[in-house]
Amino acid sequence: MKIICIGRNYADHISELNNERPEDPVIFIKPDSAVLPKEQDFYIPEFSDDVHYEVEVLVKIKRVGKHIKKEFAATYYDEVGLGIDFTARDLQSKLKSKGLPWEKAKGFDGAAVIGEWLPKTSFKDLNDINFNLEKNGEVVQSGNTAQMLWKIDEIISYVSTFFMLKKGDVIFTGTPAGVGKVSPNDYLSGSIENKELFKVKIK
């Protein structure tokens, strides 16, 4: 499986990082080794002093597809979830300033938290899903999929133009505002519509 991530998909997050609003979805990929094993703590890597959490709605691809039209994109997934795109912000900023790829800052071991999956049929409208992230019991990020610049089906269609999608691939759809630094002994938990889908201890 591969992890395909969409950057800059929420206007408020673009603003908080002083980024330019893109004309097309920003795509980057994490390797499968970035997935944090279930029930395992997240260890802050030695090469960063500024790792940020970014909570995101996830979609799991269920069959092979390429050049998928938007109107057919919904037939390529049955499950929706929640996760964290951990980002070594200091390293990312350094790489961006030199015009270099972000992979070292986004794809390191454990940088992708994938929570439990929910059937998409449990939602009345996939473009109106509330989700949030709590750090030490306080909500630090909250969003709704209605705020996405590109909706789930648009993302699938666009991504499939460049990458063949395969069964088991996971798409991270972008993060709302509120990203921030993690520190040892922090406790993160993420929920969709008040249903907790993951929890992570920071070491």
Side-chain angles (χ1 to χ4, degrees), residues 28-199:
F28 60 94
I29 291 180
K30 291 176 183 268
D32 58 3
S33 54
V35 177
L36 185 70
K38 299 286 187 184
E39 308 300 325
Q40 183 171 308
D41 297 334
F42 173 79
Y43 285 81
I44 298 172
E46 295 180 356
F47 54 77
S48 178
D49 294 318
D50 193 23
V51 173
H52 283 202
Y53 52 77
E54 298 186 8
V55 71
E56 309 198 11
V57 171
L58 313 181
V59 177
K60 185 194 291 185
I61 299 300
K62 70 171 185 177
R63 63 192 181 98
V64 174
K66 186 171 176 63
H67 295 294
I68 301 166
K69 292 185 177 181
K70 186 177 72 172
E71 55 265 35
F72 300 127
T75 66
Y76 285 82
Y77 63 99
D78 285 334
E79 295 176 288
V80 174
L82 196 69
I84 296 177
D85 164 22
F86 279 120
T87 304
R89 191 71 70 200
D90 47 357
L91 179 56
Q92 184 192 36
S93 296
K94 181 178 179 181
L95 293 167
K96 285 170 63 177
S97 70
K98 297 181 179 180
L100 297 173
W102 303 349
E103 271 71 13
K104 289 190 291 186
K106 289 280 195 178
F108 58 87
D109 293 349
V113 173
I114 297 177
E116 300 301 320
W117 295 98
L118 298 173
K120 71 178 184 182
T121 53
S122 61
F123 302 100
K124 291 182 179 180
D125 184 356
L126 295 178
N127 294 321
D128 185 20
I129 299 174
N130 293 299
F131 62 99
N132 66 61
L133 180 73
E134 292 187 7
K135 184 175 80 167
N136 304 327
E138 293 187 13
V139 175
V140 288
Q141 280 189 279
S142 61
N144 185 291
T145 52
Q147 300 165 339
M148 288 181 177
L149 301 181
W150 291 278
K151 306 300 192 252
I152 292 172
D153 290 353
E154 293 175 294
I155 290 169
I156 289 173
S157 177
Y158 184 79
V159 166
S160 73
T161 303
F162 304 93
F163 308 108
M164 179 183 291
L165 296 176
K166 295 185 176 182
K167 183 177 180 179
D169 287 350
V170 176
I171 298 178
F172 279 59
T173 61
T175 194
V179 302
K181 183 178 179 178
V182 294
S183 301
N185 299 316
D186 280 346
Y187 181 82
L188 305 177
S189 63
S191 301
I192 284 182
E193 299 293 354
N194 298 315
K195 181 178 179 59
E196 184 179 272
L197 298 187
F198 68 77
K199 51 188 177 182

